Amino acid sequence: MRVTALRTTPVSVPFEGEETWTYGRRRGITNVLVELETDEDLVGIGEAVGWPTPEVALDVLASARDVVVGRDPFRIEELLATLYLQRGWHYFRHTAGCALAGLEAALWDVVGKACELPLHVLFGGAVRERVAYYWYVPAGGREEMAASARAGVERGFGTLYLKVGFEPAGTVADVRAVREAVGSGPRLRVDANEAWTVAESVAAIRELEPLGVEFVEQPVSMYDRAALGEVQERVSVPVAANQTTWDEFATLDVLLRGLASVVVTDPHQVGGLARFKKVAAIAEIADTPVVKHSFGDLGVSTFAALHVLATCPNCALAHQTHYQLLADDVVRGGPPSFVDGGLPVPDGAGIGVELDPDRVAAYADLFSREGTFSPYEPRRGAA
């Protein structure tokens, strides 16, 4: 079998509301869909995230075209090694991973379809039949946030997620209001997105501690690993590393030095499903849980990663998703239905989902008309 074509399609799928975080706000998700055609009429699909921009992702994927076209799609490790080590992406891993993960997922989808097996079988077999996700409580008015949290709990989600580290609607008081709205049962986690200094982190986390926070994600700059370790040493609430564990090398260093209690990363950060599985295995050896991060995943990325999560013993905590915000999806059937805060492991060949041509065309047209849903639009009410 040989790859005969690589197609890319940027799409913009709107949110029903807005996402607000430390660095701005956004109105939807802009990602790049990847399709690999083969000479045996199999088509593999993948999804690259539009970070830092979809144009950058498109350029990275365009540079990979002459490497993969004409090659055996089963030789995934060899193809990725060629792209990183012989085409220079080794030196720009953060940028490359966000794009090449979409290509790598499409290769795995081809392999799964050719073998007539779901990806979780190829990755070692599922250890769970359902993967848990959190309920995203978007920043807003305090009563609105409390109502959203109650709605998530009523729909069966056992973990709630809030952004913190900014005003308005990203404060400890907002977290307290959500806790009071849902009671002591649901797990509650917060993400500061590097917003605080060490002193600010320690003060805020100590104030959060009585609220029963599951963990605090990335409170300090990703570039200051010592600061992350100092925060974890000075507080009793678990600290999670996300941007600090962007790739497998950083993750190994964080684990060896005991700088965090949870690793939050994803296939786009590390550059593919296989690398994500390897990172989870490294963390498993260190007896550390892994939570899948989301830049903003549509259905292809969600279900591709779900296969890997199902095979990792230390991936039992609730994972990140933006589905509570999305108005639609690009896969057949539209957005998936969560049951008790989770998704069942797909049993179809490959990733187990297919693109919906009408939805893809509609959201490709939206991208061409409105461009990127940037996550860096100014926050409302920000100074």
Side-chain angles (χ1 to χ4, degrees):
M1 186 189 300
R2 291 290 183 269
V3 175
T4 56
L6 188 166
R7 297 198 306 272
T8 54
T9 307
V11 293
S12 286
V13 181
F15 288 151
E16 292 183 343
E18 291 182 345
E19 177 188 30
T20 303
W21 65 314
T22 301
Y23 299 116
R25 64 184 176 94
R26 63 173 166 172
R27 298 171 291 114
I29 292 172
T30 300
N31 284 347
V32 177
L33 302 175
V34 179
E35 295 174 87
L36 286 182
E37 296 182 358
T38 71
D39 57 4
E40 295 188 11
D41 295 327
L42 292 176
V43 178
I45 59 174
E47 178 186 335
V49 292
W51 289 53
T53 69
E55 291 78 13
V56 169
L58 287 165
D59 284 345
V60 174
L61 290 164
S63 75
R65 184 169 280 110
D66 68 330
V67 173
V68 297
V69 172
R71 301 286 293 276
D72 181 352
F74 277 70
R75 301 178 75 92
I76 297 173
E77 290 278 2
E78 181 180 77
L79 289 171
L80 268 292
T82 299
L83 288 166
Y84 277 98
L85 299 177
Q86 297 178 22
R87 294 304 176 93
W89 290 117
H90 170 73
Y91 295 104
F92 305 94
R93 291 171 58 86
H94 290 188
T95 299
C98 288
L100 295 180
L103 170 61
E104 192 249 19
L107 289 165
W108 279 110
D109 194 39
V110 169
V111 171
K113 288 172 178 175
C115 297
E116 298 184 349
L117 291 171
L119 290 193
H120 63 81
V121 174
L122 302 180
F123 278 90
V127 298
R128 58 183 63 87
E129 302 304 318
R130 170 186 163 278
V131 173
Y133 293 85
Y134 63 40
W135 179 266
Y136 192 157
V137 179
R142 207 160 284 167
E143 292 184 3
E144 182 184 9
M145 293 173 69
S148 173
R150 285 192 294 265
V153 173
E154 289 170 1
R155 292 178 59 174
F157 287 82
T159 301
L160 307 176
Y161 169 93
L162 297 84
K163 297 286 192 181
V164 295
F166 61 92
E167 294 186 26
T171 67
V172 172
D174 298 309
V175 180
R176 184 178 295 108
V178 167
R179 172 56 83 196
E180 291 173 353
V182 299
S184 60
R187 296 186 177 192
L188 193 60
R189 69 175 66 153
V190 300
D191 184 359
N193 287 118
E194 308 178 75
W196 294 327
T197 65
V198 170
E200 290 168 338
S201 299
V202 172
I205 294 171
R206 286 176 177 169
E207 192 174 352
L208 287 165
E209 183 176 1
L211 303 178
V213 176
E214 179 185 30
F215 62 73
V216 176
E217 183 177 336
Q218 199 61 49
V220 294
S221 169
M222 65 181 286
Y223 297 108
D224 193 344
R225 295 180 192 173
L228 185 74
E230 183 179 352
V231 173
Q232 182 62 100
E233 184 177 354
R234 293 175 60 184
V235 300
S236 59
V237 175
V239 171
N242 171 220
Q243 290 92 330
T244 299
T245 50
W246 194 290
D247 59 33
E248 61 268 42
F249 303 104
T251 302
L252 180 60
D253 184 53
V254 167
L255 292 170
L256 287 173
R257 294 165 60 187
L259 303 181
S261 300
V262 181
V263 168
V264 182
T265 188
D266 71 273
H268 293 106
Q269 285 186 309
V270 300
L273 298 172
R275 284 184 173 179
F276 183 58
K277 172 77 173 185
K278 292 173 184 177
V279 165
I282 293 169
E284 182 185 357
I285 294 169
D287 196 25
T288 302
V290 169
V291 168
K292 185 204 162 294
H293 168 259
S294 170
F295 284 98
D297 296 341
L298 302 174
V300 179
S301 284
T302 294
F303 284 97
L306 191 154
H307 283 277
V308 179
L309 294 171
T311 70
C312 300
N314 59 326
C315 291
L317 298 179
H319 302 285
Q320 297 191 2
T321 176
H322 285 74
Y323 267 121
Q324 287 80 40
L325 306 181
L326 277 168
D328 201 3
D329 201 352
V330 293
V331 297
R332 292 190 187 276
S337 297
F338 290 79
V339 177
D340 293 330
L343 292 174
V345 180
D347 56 9
I351 295 173
V353 297
E354 297 294 337
L355 296 174
D356 183 319
D358 292 335
R359 284 185 164 95
V360 171
Y363 296 121
D365 179 66
L366 184 61
F367 173 78
S368 67
R369 289 185 287 109
E370 297 192 18
T372 303
F373 287 130
S374 171
Y376 297 102
E377 293 183 12
R379 296 197 313 269
R380 298 185 188 279

